[in-house]
Amino acid sequence: MRQYLIASVATLLLAVPSQAQVTFVPDTAGLAALGTVTTQNLCCEAAQSHSYTFGDVTYVATSGPTDPLRIYPTGFAGVTQPTLINDYNGGIAIDFAGTYQLIGVFFGRFNPGSQLDTITVTTNLGSYDFQVTLNSLFNGAAPGFAGFSATGPEYITRLSFSGLSPNLAFNSNPGITGVQFGNPTPPGGVPEPASWAMLLAGFGLSGLMLRRRRLRVVSA
C-alpha cells in the first residue's frame, strides 16, 4: 500500500502548476469573459486621507507615509465619475483583502499630455511589471483600462502605479476612477485541505483494492 500512496502523492504534486503566471487583459469585455467580476466606483469622500477602504479594497498613497489621497465624488478635470488622486502626484496602490484572480482598473493622468507609467501586480507568489499609457484626463480623454488574470494557486493582492514616468524625472500624476475584481469561472486555485485529504484517501483506497485483487489472483 505504501508504494501506491507515494505514487498518489506524486501524481497530485504533478497536477499543481509549478509556476503560475499573471497575464494582461486589455479591456473590460475580455476580463468579464474570464469569470464574474464586480465593479467598484469611488464615492462619498472629499477629505484628504493617506488611505481609503471600501469592503475588500483599500487605496493607499505609496509615494510617502504622509502623502494624502483625495476622492473627488463628482469627478476632476475632464472626468465626470468619482476620481481618486494622490494630491502630491505620487504613487497609488490598490490592496485586495480577498483571494481574487481577476482584477481590473480604470485610470488616467491628471495633467496635460499622455505618459507611460508602470503598474506592478503583486500576488501571493511574486510580482510582475506592466507598462501602460496614462491618457490625459485633464485634456478630456477617456479613462484607460488594464485587466490582469492570475492562474492556478496564484491570486492578486495589490496593484500599484509607480507614479514615475520611465522617460522623465518627475511624477506621472496617475489617478483612478474605478476597479473591478472577481474570480474565473470555474474558479481556479489550490484545492481546500479537505479536498486534498479526499483525493489522497481515494488514491490510497484504489491502490489498496488493486493490491488485494492481485493477491487473490495469485492465491487462486
Side-chain angles (χ1 to χ4, degrees), residues 25-126:
V25 182
D27 52 47
T28 56
L31 194 67
L34 297 176
T36 302
V37 294
T38 298
T39 300
Q40 181 185 86
N41 294 314
L42 300 160
C43 71
C44 311
E45 297 286 347
Q48 292 178 321
S49 177
H50 181 66
S51 66
Y52 293 98
T53 299
F54 302 99
D56 282 349
V57 185
T58 299
Y59 304 84
V60 184
T62 59
S63 50
T66 60
D67 282 0
L69 298 176
R70 184 188 293 271
I71 294 177
Y72 295 85
T74 58
F76 181 84
V79 182
T80 58
Q81 61 261 44
T83 303
L84 180 142
I85 304 172
N86 184 324
D87 267 9
Y88 283 157
N89 302 323
I92 299 174
I94 312 168
D95 292 329
F96 299 91
T99 54
Y100 299 114
Q101 292 188 299
L102 301 177
I103 299 292
V105 58
F106 299 88
F107 57 86
R109 180 171 186 259
F110 291 93
N111 264 343
S114 61
Q115 281 190 17
L116 292 176
D117 196 9
T118 299
I119 296 181
T120 299
V121 180
T122 304
T123 73
N124 58 317
L125 300 180

